[in-house]
Amino acid sequence: MATPDYFISCDWGTSNFRLRVVETATLIIVAEHKTDCGIKSLYEKFLKQRDKEQTQFFVDYLKTQILLLPKKYQNYIIIAAGMASSNIGLFELNYADFPLNTNGKNLIWKHLVFNNNSEVLLISGAKTNFGMMRGEEVQAVGLEQQLNPYKKGILLLPGTHSKHLTYDNGIYTHLKNYMTGELFEVLSKKSILANSVNLNYSTLIITSFLEGVQLGLKGQLSASLFSIRAKDLLQTSTKEENFYFLSGLLIGDEISYLKNNEENIFLVAPDPVFSLYKIALQQIITQDQLILFNDKTLENALLIGQKKILLQYEN
């Protein structure tokens, strides 16, 4: 099959939905549309109705959103990554097994054609015996050209559920999951600590953050959590200082196993998360070991990964 001039990149996460029309040769984005109707909220709407089965319900939403793109691009193939291939998404696909090749060959994908001749190439997640991911595997495939010059290292993709991938000469061999982002959400909004923390990323309070990082690095996460409430009640710390202390505590705990690591660490994330992880990592590894990539790199990685998988499919 001939490679199309354009493709529609669909990034369908738990909380957000985004379509981008991408010129295949250059990866230039020529049109974009996004909503806050992620997989979770759309699945909840599906459960409240009886008229349509799950795939049709999700397909109908996808088709209505495609119609909001410029008309001349609406019939190009859709490359869907993220939670769309989960059991609460458009169509469930099994996880591909590690090791994961950076050409995308051993990912699982499914070609779906709908009654208006719309085509979707749906991409699976990937798993090990101890971890799994959906969406980040496409980013990882797209990051190959950035990591290849360094040969080996550990790729950190922070988020609600952070992923650490071991990279070895074009292959991702291992995966670790950390619930850092979700733990922060639960502790800061739904636990007894909620009234002691003011969620505010506007001004970094470095001393409080580093205090938390050092305790997290020492394995003192659980033993230090209640001190946040005590600091608030005794007025020895502000709620903003507690915010950064909790952030540092959780991030320090996540990266503590890297203290004696001698390999390269690749950090790829958007701000403000990028800056926090950078500061925390600088406490335990040398400047030469820490390889930094910003949010633009991450954005491009998804498109590069989707293009690689499209070319595998077309061939």
Side-chain angles (χ1 to χ4, degrees):
M1 298 174 66
T3 301
D5 293 332
Y6 299 89
F7 67 90
I8 299 173
S9 165
C10 177
D11 183 9
W12 209 342
T14 303
S15 305
N16 296 286
F17 171 88
R18 178 171 59 177
L19 297 173
R20 288 178 290 181
V21 179
V22 183
E23 186 176 42
T24 307
T26 64
L27 294 182
I28 292 173
I29 299 168
V30 299
E32 182 171 359
H33 168 68
K34 54 187 176 182
T35 75
D36 60 359
C37 193
I39 291 296
K40 181 180 178 181
S41 62
L42 193 60
Y43 183 71
E44 289 171 353
K45 292 177 183 178
F46 159 71
L47 292 176
K48 293 177 181 177
Q49 59 84 55
R50 301 286 185 210
D51 298 331
K52 300 175 183 177
E53 55 86 29
Q54 185 170 332
T55 294
Q56 189 60 54
F57 188 84
F58 276 77
V59 166
D60 286 349
Y61 178 80
L62 179 58
K63 289 194 291 188
T64 62
Q65 302 311 303
I66 293 292
L67 293 175
L68 298 175
L69 295 172
K71 189 171 182 179
K72 65 179 180 178
Y73 301 119
Q74 290 175 7
N75 292 322
Y76 283 101
I77 190 168
I78 303 158
I79 314 298
M83 292 294 288
S85 62
S86 71
N87 63 342
I88 61 170
L90 187 150
F91 187 95
E92 185 177 10
L93 295 179
N94 292 331
Y95 289 92
D97 289 316
F98 269 65
L100 178 64
N101 297 328
T102 50
N103 57 17
K105 274 188 176 181
N106 65 324
L107 286 173
I108 298 168
W109 60 75
K110 186 173 181 63
H111 180 227
L112 303 170
V113 181
F114 307 119
N115 54 16
N116 65 342
N117 293 322
S118 296
E119 295 181 81
V120 175
L121 190 59
L122 187 64
I123 305 167
S124 71
K127 67 174 176 66
T128 66
N129 290 333
F130 307 102
M132 57 185 63
M133 57 185 180
R134 284 194 192 271
E136 294 90 352
E137 72 290 332
V138 180
Q139 294 171 333
V141 167
L143 285 166
E144 157 66 8
Q145 66 190 58
Q146 305 289 341
L147 307 192
N148 182 263
Y150 301 96
K151 304 303 181 184
K152 294 183 178 183
I154 299 173
L155 170 63
L156 271 57
L157 298 172
T160 303
H161 301 146
S162 297
K163 279 79 178 181
H164 295 199
L165 292 86
T166 303
Y167 175 80
D168 188 351
N169 290 292
I171 296 175
Y172 294 104
T173 58
H174 298 91
L175 166 67
K176 290 184 176 182
N177 292 86
Y178 294 86
M179 292 177 61
T180 305
E182 184 169 349
L183 281 173
F184 185 87
E185 179 81 6
V186 171
L187 290 168
S188 63
K189 292 185 177 181
K190 298 179 181 179
S191 78
I192 196 172
L193 303 181
N195 293 325
S196 300
V197 176
N198 182 14
L199 280 68
N200 181 11
Y201 274 118
S202 59
T203 304
L204 172 60
I205 305 174
I206 188 70
T207 53
S208 297
F209 179 71
L210 287 177
E211 181 187 358
V213 168
Q214 292 302 327
L215 289 169
L217 290 171
K218 294 174 182 176
Q220 296 296 308
L221 171 60
S222 180
S224 303
L225 284 173
F226 198 81
S227 69
I228 294 171
R229 178 165 169 78
K231 289 177 180 181
D232 177 45
L233 293 178
L234 299 175
Q235 298 184 340
T236 57
S237 292
T238 66
K239 297 181 191 298
E240 290 77 17
E241 288 172 330
N242 284 341
F243 170 89
Y244 282 103
F245 176 79
L246 177 59
S247 298
L249 195 58
L250 289 167
I251 293 172
D253 179 74
E254 176 186 335
I255 66 171
S256 60
Y257 80 100
L258 296 171
K259 282 186 290 187
N260 299 315
N261 177 72
E262 296 181 355
E263 294 185 84
N264 291 314
I265 304 297
F266 310 106
L267 175 63
V268 191
D271 260 330
V273 173
F274 174 84
S275 295
L276 294 179
Y277 273 79
K278 174 185 174 182
I279 293 168
L281 287 164
Q282 286 173 334
Q283 309 309 305
I284 58 172
I285 61 175
T286 66
Q287 184 175 343
D288 291 342
Q289 284 179 271
L290 184 55
I291 315 300
L292 302 171
F293 301 107
N294 60 21
D295 55 348
K296 185 63 176 177
T297 303
L298 193 61
E299 290 281 331
N300 290 338
L302 178 68
L303 302 182
I304 294 168
Q306 288 178 319
K307 177 180 176 179
K308 280 187 177 184
I309 292 163
L310 172 63
L311 295 179
Q312 293 286 352
Y313 168 73
E314 295 291 346
N315 292 329

